[in-house]
Amino acid sequence: MPFLRENSGKFSPEKIGALIMVLFPLALLLIRALNGSFTPPTPFGAPPGLGAGPGLGAGPGLGGVDPALGARPLVEVIRFIGDWAIRLLLITLAVTPARRLFNWPKLLIARRTLGLGAALLVGIHFTFYLIDIGSLGMAAREIVLRIYLTIGFVALVIFAAMASTSWDGAVRRLGGERWKHLHALVYPATALGILHFFMQQKLDVTEPTLMAGLFVWLMGWRVMQRYGRGTGLANMLALAVAAGVLTALIEAGWYAVATGVDPTRVLAANLAFDYKISPAWWVAGSGAAVALASEIVLRLRPLPVRRAARA
């Protein structure tokens, strides 16, 4: 496929936009590195320091968190790149729903750039980890002994396999069916990446919960399409509610398993808006907003009759 162009030779706004999305976290990384501003982020209004839990542990080379100096800069770089890799993966998975929900067929040509960009960030994330450890042997031992690193490494291998076959010649060599089966592994690999994200955070899992909830919505949309539920407003609103409820259950279940907190307290906290809006509400609200926006767009620009009948 022509770089940044459609097959007709015209510049593709979709491909250009995808490339900008890929380059944005790298540019932000460079800016923050030059400014020396790598400090633990505080997502969605969490109290300062709560987002800087000992997620990477205090294993060899990782350094953990120094009470006086805060997290070491390289550890924060590793986290920063990893967080953006998950975000870019979810954006990649959102291409297919957005293409249909907003009748935007050309959006599909941006998916390869986004997917390769996400795989690139995963690779950079792992490379910085190796640099921080300083020894391949020690890194191998850490990956074997620490379950969250094992999970992350499995996801890395899957993304590497998909990235290495993301070119037209690979489709011909593997055959269409085998290629599709290989690239369908993006779903379990993304789930493993989100689990890896959860296990790094431990104390404040606000953003991992949000990422998990958005992933639930994206997979729920695919299940609806598989069983012929279409993209109607009622179905989309039901999906938004279901994804929000499942997000709350994921958060409560995680705290119950990881910290022993009573899950009913976590569920009740979702209704307390004086502190912050919980990930469950963000997911449900985002799903509802997408449903309403899609309804408006499809009324103004309806799907072709044959394709609409299938949907």
Side-chain angles (χ1 to χ4, degrees):
M1 296 176 65
F3 180 64
L4 299 184
R5 294 178 184 270
E6 301 175 5
N7 289 331
S8 64
K10 295 180 180 179
F11 277 106
S12 167
E14 291 81 9
K15 286 187 177 182
I16 294 171
L19 181 62
I20 291 172
M21 284 187 184
V22 171
L23 295 178
F24 176 76
L26 298 176
L28 194 58
L29 172 66
L30 179 60
I31 292 170
R32 290 189 61 183
L34 292 175
N35 290 337
S37 60
F38 272 105
T39 55
T42 309
F44 297 99
L50 191 57
L56 287 175
L62 290 178
V65 178
D66 186 310
L69 302 177
R72 294 202 298 110
L74 190 54
V75 175
E76 288 306 312
V77 170
I78 294 169
R79 289 176 175 170
F80 176 86
I81 292 294
D83 294 355
W84 273 102
I86 295 294
R87 294 165 192 162
L88 200 55
L89 281 168
L90 294 179
I91 292 172
T92 305
L93 293 179
V95 168
T96 299
R99 174 200 178 197
R100 181 167 296 182
L101 289 170
F102 300 106
N103 190 15
W104 191 354
K106 288 186 177 182
L107 188 60
L108 196 61
I109 64 177
R111 188 169 59 184
R112 180 180 294 185
T113 301
L114 291 170
L116 288 172
L120 173 65
L121 292 185
V122 171
I124 294 173
H125 173 73
F126 183 64
T127 299
F128 275 118
Y129 164 74
L130 292 178
I131 293 171
D132 191 58
I133 287 287
S135 166
L136 288 176
M138 188 177 294
R141 287 194 295 273
E142 287 285 291
I143 290 169
V144 170
L145 295 175
R146 293 174 178 266
I147 184 62
Y148 81 94
L149 291 176
T150 307
I151 290 170
F153 185 74
V154 171
L156 168 72
V157 171
I158 296 173
F159 288 128
M162 290 189 293
S164 64
T165 56
S166 290
W167 51 291
D168 296 338
V171 181
R172 292 190 295 270
R173 292 184 183 185
L174 290 173
E177 285 303 313
R178 283 199 296 175
W179 189 89
K180 287 180 181 178
H181 287 315
L182 173 61
H183 283 256
L185 293 176
V186 67
Y187 307 124
T190 302
L192 289 175
I194 293 173
L195 178 58
H196 176 74
F197 193 7
F198 265 105
M199 297 179 77
Q200 284 183 319
Q201 297 298 99
K202 291 185 181 179
L203 293 182
D204 178 19
V205 294
T206 301
E207 187 166 1
T209 302
L210 177 63
M211 298 297 106
L214 295 174
F215 180 69
V216 166
W217 186 95
L218 290 167
M219 297 309 296
W221 184 89
R222 284 167 167 81
V223 171
M224 286 173 56
Q225 298 306 300
R226 184 179 182 87
Y227 291 98
R229 293 300 179 183
T231 56
L233 180 61
N235 287 336
M236 293 298 298
L237 290 175
L239 174 61
V241 173
V245 171
L246 286 172
T247 302
L249 292 175
I250 289 170
E251 183 181 35
W254 175 262
Y255 277 116
V257 172
T259 66
V261 173
D262 183 354
T264 59
R265 291 179 57 193
V266 180
L267 291 173
N270 282 274
L271 301 176
F273 297 102
D274 53 337
Y275 173 48
K276 65 177 181 179
I277 300 175
S278 71
W281 287 104
W282 282 107
V283 170
S286 299
V290 167
L292 294 173
S294 173
E295 182 72 11
I296 294 171
V297 170
L298 291 182
R299 285 181 181 275
L300 297 174
R301 189 176 57 188
L303 291 166
V305 174
R306 185 179 300 174
R307 186 170 151 199
R310 288 203 305 269

